């Protein structure tokens, strides 16, 4: 076998720490190596042309490239090899950047290690088998999980391209948190004016199947071929018969038994309700926990007034299965409830701020509902405790965000902007009011963002104080806010009528559980992990599953919309072909050696291991063995490491190849 070795300097990334010419020279004498060359940028067009030329001129059978991570450039060098007539799986990458130059300072040691890494790759490639890609059909249908602005945008983009979309939202209406906002920064245009037409468009789109009040329970299959089990929860309303007239809501005698979650618990709702006036679909839900009928069977006022006979007290949850080729995660965020430390949470809470204890200490979304014309106060600024107009409001930023002591290491990104908006909205309505903002830093990176903050300070007279608040107490109907002004170098005490906390954006509580259901990774905060932060920010590590909006990290509306459109574009790329090619690096079971212990099935994170019966010609079952579904297998190798009988091997990483690498050292 004739092998070519190509060492890349990667500019200075590798060349600064590794003596690349020495590595190339040392590899010339390795058994089987026909040519060994170093070049400053091997991934460049001249570098790739060099590889192609050497393959053709020297009639090489395989190549080893010492370069950056295969996560970045494996496909690049495989394509170059294929263009010159070599099977792409006869290409090995020796990772000289992450495994050498980036982790060592000693040039001699790093160079010796680089030579070892290349030598190991040479011995492995000698034993590599030419593999062919796996072809699977593509179901050109998309599941979007989450009906906020990101989910709405993604669904519309895919549907407008002509493909069917199933949009699943756990709440009775789509719209997400954006539907709760009064106005949006930096233009201060009405949130509902922007959102409502899109919500209606989703509902009326012939290519979108809208499933509200529904949750994904199970995901099976693989990229291009997912089977999704969805629980459509019982509304106790016949959706086909209901016209959304609202009589059942207005006549419901149960008015103040349940807090209105859409109003962030600042108001009550009846037992039968729609979340908000612009809800899509405009179909009520009956809350079994507060409805008198479900308690004693006596009340049925909604049945009496409904002329369409749409009330169905005995309606049950419905299980639906949908076949899709791609999944877009758009589950959004929630604000951290700082009133107490949740059980088994990494977060520690902010009891010193009195949230949950003092009625007039509220968070950002509660302020949004107070400011909204459709909110509990119809847009008038009134304190939740007594309904009086607050004349002095203190806004506190970074409540949780960027605070390691409380368990948060990240910036929530939008708080600086929405706090400026809140202060501005307050000053526009309460002209003689005073607004104070305690901040750590002002982070207003974005088009017209810094100008917006300056407008709040310079035009609307919002007073910004750089410092943190240590404690909030109540005295005689006032809230004593004690903090510091780091610029003036002094303690600050403000007697406020209301306090608004910019609490951290966190992942949805059930986000991690859903991630396990779908089979995608997530970080310690519950946000979904992307495949690569720079090159694949929209994709998850599971093929065919894409990320959109704040489920990946805190984001504002424009970024969420842009990310949603990007996820839709990735989906459309997937749908661009009828057949999908997958890597053949999958596990295979030797039926003769398999003992049927099924340890592999227990540890497989992708559910790729199945049970297969071995039968005689007469149909008699001799034994049961493991079988790996090629479509589901992601080539992680967990089963291979676990198998006690050594009956499972990973294509491209079998025992002979691995032991050859070890022996090379």
């Amino acid at each position: 076998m004739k092998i070519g070795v190509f060492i890349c300097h990667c500019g200075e990334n590798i060349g600064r720490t590794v003596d690349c010419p020495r590595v190339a020279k040392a590899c010339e004498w390795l058994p089987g190596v026909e040519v060994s060359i170093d070049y400053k940028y091997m991934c460049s067009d001249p570098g790739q042309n060099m590889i192609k030329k050497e393959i053709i001129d020297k009639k090489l059978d395989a190549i080893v490239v010492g370069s950056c991570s295969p996560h970045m450039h494996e496909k690049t060098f495989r394509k170059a090899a294929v263009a010159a007539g070599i099977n792409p799986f006869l290409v090995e990458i020796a990772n000289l950047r992450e495994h050498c130059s980036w982790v060592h300072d000693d040039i001699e040691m790093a160079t010796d290690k680089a030579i070892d890494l290349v030598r190991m790759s040479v011995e492995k490639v000698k034993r590599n088998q030419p593999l062919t890609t796996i072809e699977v059909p593509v179901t050109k249908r998309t599941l979007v999980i989450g009906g906020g602005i990101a989910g709405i945008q993604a669904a519309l983009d895919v549907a407008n391209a002509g493909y069917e979309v199933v949009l699943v939202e756990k709440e009775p209406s789509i719209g997400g948190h954006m539907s709760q906002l009064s106005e949006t920064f930096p233009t201060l245009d009405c949130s509902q004016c922007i959102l409502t037409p899109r919500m209606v468009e989703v509902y009326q789109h012939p290519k979108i199947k809208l499933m509200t009040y529904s949750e994904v329970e199970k995901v099976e299959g693989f990229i291009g071929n997912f089977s999704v089990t969805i629980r459509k929860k019982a509304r106790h309303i016949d959706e086909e018969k209901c016209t959304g007239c609202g009589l059942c809501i207005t006549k419901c005698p149960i008015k103040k038994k349940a807090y209105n979650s859409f109003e962030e618990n600042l108001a009550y709702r009846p037992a039968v309700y729609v979340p908000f006036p612009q809800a899509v679909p405009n179909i009520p839900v009956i809350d079994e926990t507060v409805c008198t009928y479900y308690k004693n069977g006596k009340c049925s006022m909604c049945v009496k007034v409904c002329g369409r006979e749409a009330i169905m007290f005995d309606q049950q949850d419905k299980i639906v299965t949908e076949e899709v080729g791609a999944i877009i995660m758009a589950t959004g965020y929630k604000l951290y409830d700082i009133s107490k430390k949740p059980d088994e949470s990494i977060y520690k809470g902010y009891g010193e701020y009195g949230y949950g204890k003092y009625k007039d200490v509220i968070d950002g979304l509660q302020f949004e509902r107070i400011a909204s014309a459709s909110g509990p106060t119809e847009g008038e600024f009134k304190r939740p405790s007594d309904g009086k107009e607050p004349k002095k409001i203190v806004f506190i930023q970074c409540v949780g965000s960027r605070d390691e002591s409380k368990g948060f290491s990240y910036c929530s990104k939008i708080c600086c902007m929405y706090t400026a908006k809140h202060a501005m909205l307050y000053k526009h309505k309460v002209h003689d009011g005073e607004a104070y903002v305690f901040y750590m830093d002002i982070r207003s990176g974005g088009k017209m963002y810094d100008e917006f903050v300056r407008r709040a300070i310079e035009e609307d007279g919002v007073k910004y104080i750089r410092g943190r608040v240590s404690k909030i107490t109540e005295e005689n109907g006032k809230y004593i806010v004690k903090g510091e002004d780091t610029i003036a170098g002094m303690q600050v005490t403000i007697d406020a009528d209301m306090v608004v906390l910019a609490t951290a954006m966190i992942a949805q509580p059930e986000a991690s559980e859903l991630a396990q259901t779908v089979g995608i990774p997530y970080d310690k905060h519950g946000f979904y992990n992307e495949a690569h932060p720079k090159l694949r920010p929209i994709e998850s590590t599971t093929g065919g599953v894409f990320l959109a909006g704040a489920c990946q990290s805190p984001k504002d509306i424009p970024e969420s919309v842009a990310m949603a459109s990007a996820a839709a574009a990735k989906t459309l790329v997937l749908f661009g072909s009828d057949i999908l090619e997958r890597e053949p690096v999958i596990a295979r079971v030797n039926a003769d050696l398999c003992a049927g212990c099924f340890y592999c099935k227990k540890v497989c994170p992708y559910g790729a291991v199945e049970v297969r019966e071995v039968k005689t010609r007469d149909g008699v079952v001799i034994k049961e063995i493991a079988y790996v579904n090629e479509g589901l297998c992601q080539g992680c190798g967990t089963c291979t490491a676990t198998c006690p009988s050594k009956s499972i091997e990973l294509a491209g990483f079998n025992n002979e190849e691995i032991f050859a690498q070890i022996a090379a050292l």
Side-chain angles (χ1 to χ4, degrees), residues 105-177:
D105 297 319
D106 189 310
I107 294 178
E108 281 298 314
M109 183 176 67
T111 302
D112 290 341
K113 183 178 178 180
I115 294 170
D116 287 342
L117 289 173
V118 175
R119 184 166 65 248
M120 291 168 66
S121 296
V122 169
E123 290 304 312
K124 181 179 183 300
V125 83
K126 289 178 183 179
R127 293 155 177 85
N128 281 9
Q129 298 296 313
L131 304 175
T132 55
T133 55
I134 300 168
E135 293 186 346
V136 294
V138 178
T139 302
K140 298 183 180 182
R141 206 161 174 257
T142 305
L143 171 71
V144 178
I145 306 177
I149 184 60
I152 288 171
Q153 183 68 39
L156 286 174
D157 282 353
V158 175
N160 288 335
Y163 297 101
E164 292 183 10
V165 176
V166 180
L167 176 56
V168 176
E169 166 57 46
K170 68 177 182 178
E171 298 295 334
S173 169
I174 57 175
H177 286 308

Side-chain angles (χ1 to χ4, degrees), residues 181-183 368-380 429:
L181 307 183
S182 56
E183 299 174 29
E368 290 283 353
R369 297 313 304 153
I370 292 173
S372 174
S374 63
T377 62
E378 298 181 342
E380 295 184 24
K429 290 188 177 182

Side-chain angles (χ1 to χ4, degrees), residues 143-146 166-172 211-219 228-234 317-322 331 508-511 513-514 517-518:
L143 171 71
V144 178
I145 306 177
V166 180
L167 176 56
V168 176
E169 166 57 46
K170 68 177 182 178
E171 298 295 334
M211 298 180 67
T212 56
Y213 210 47
S214 304
E215 295 189 55
V216 173
E217 289 201 338
K218 189 177 182 181
V219 176
V228 184
T229 303
I230 303 166
R231 179 177 293 274
K232 188 172 176 60
K233 293 179 287 187
D317 293 357
K318 186 178 179 181
I319 303 299
V320 180
T321 300
E322 299 288 348
T331 53
Q508 292 284 2
E510 65 277 9
E513 183 179 343
L514 182 59
T517 300
V518 179

Side-chain angles (χ1 to χ4, degrees), residues 601-622:
K601 183 176 175 65
K602 294 176 182 178
V603 300
C604 179
Y606 303 100
V609 180
E610 302 170 358
V611 178
R612 175 168 286 186
E613 293 178 341
V614 179
K615 300 179 180 179
T616 64
R617 292 180 178 180
D618 300 327
V620 179
V621 177
I622 301 173

